[in-house]
Amino acid sequence: MLKTTRFLVVLVCGIAALLLGCQKNKPDNDVTIVTDCSGAQVSLPKNISNVICIDQSFCAFMTGMGLADKLVGVHGSVIYHAWSPEFNSVYSKMKKYGYRPSSEAIYEANADLVVLNDAKYAEELRALGIPAIYFGYTNYEELCAAVDLIGEIFGESAAEYIDSWKNELFSTIESVTKAVENIPENEK
């Protein structure tokens, strides 16, 4: 009788452990899927608080959106750009990385997100379990899509800035187009 009771207790505990272990395979509500600028689907935490940003324009957008406090690392050259003097005090306190930092250095930083301007390297980091996205654009439409990606990642905290930025961009393009419409093509 004692052996049977022990066997049943061990069996019940084993089944309970298996059931608890299977719960880890349920979808994580704290994760969101975004499509980066290369078309890759990337799983990211919903609440991102630590970002390593190797892409300079993404750094500028984050700073402009009031999200610089989430940056924990940037490309070293970001502090030398003409647009960045007012941000030097923010960027100078962050860890500096080269164009293609080692995966070990990135892994040790334990960032929620790594933003790169190299799609292949972002893919390599994702293969190692590091949440990395490619941020890049070559034309106006891709730029708008890239900015929308920032909105997907940071949600409400970025939405108002993105809308304002796009409205200003559209207005500027319209003004310039109107200003040059009467100039002959050979003089443009």
Side-chain angles (χ1 to χ4, degrees):
M1 176 76 175
L2 185 58
K3 284 186 178 182
T4 304
T5 305
R6 282 186 184 164
F7 174 75
L8 287 174
V9 168
V10 169
L11 182 63
V12 169
C13 288
I15 292 171
L18 282 173
L19 290 174
L20 289 173
C22 290
Q23 286 183 347
K24 292 180 181 176
N25 294 329
K26 289 185 178 179
D28 189 347
N29 292 334
D30 293 334
V31 172
T32 188
I33 306 294
V34 299
T35 303
D36 76 2
C37 295
S38 71
Q41 298 248 313
V42 183
S43 178
L44 299 174
K46 278 190 179 172
N47 297 313
I48 293 180
S49 58
N50 297 313
V51 179
I52 295 174
C53 189
I54 305 305
D55 184 84
Q56 297 165 1
S57 58
F58 197 94
C59 285
F61 278 115
M62 282 190 67
T63 303
M65 292 178 197
L67 300 169
D69 61 321
K70 296 181 183 298
L71 290 168
V72 295
V74 295
H75 188 274
S77 68
V78 78
I79 63 172
Y80 301 113
H81 285 278
W83 55 261
S84 68
E86 60 270 20
F87 304 130
N88 280 349
S89 62
V90 175
Y91 296 147
S92 64
K93 297 173 188 161
M94 296 175 196
K95 184 162 176 66
K96 307 301 180 291
Y97 293 93
Y99 174 70
R100 192 177 167 104
S102 74
S103 55
E104 292 85 5
I106 290 175
Y107 182 80
E108 287 172 6
N110 196 30
D112 299 322
L113 173 63
V114 179
V115 181
L116 301 159
N117 52 10
D118 180 338
K120 185 164 176 46
Y121 192 46
E123 183 179 338
E124 290 173 20
L125 291 177
R126 286 192 301 273
L128 297 172
I130 297 171
I133 64 165
Y134 166 67
F135 184 82
Y137 48 87
T138 58
N139 59 45
Y140 171 73
E141 288 79 20
E142 289 177 4
L143 170 62
C144 289
V147 171
D148 287 338
L149 174 62
I150 299 171
E152 282 184 64
I153 294 169
F154 294 104
E156 291 293 320
S157 57
E160 186 178 321
Y161 176 86
I162 290 171
D163 289 342
S164 172
W165 180 83
K166 280 185 170 181
N167 288 335
E168 186 176 331
L169 180 63
F170 294 144
S171 175
T172 301
I173 289 171
E174 189 176 289
S175 295
V176 170
T177 302
K178 194 173 226 174
V180 300
E181 70 186 359
N182 293 326
I183 299 173
E185 280 298 315
N186 63 343
E187 293 180 25
K188 288 184 185 178

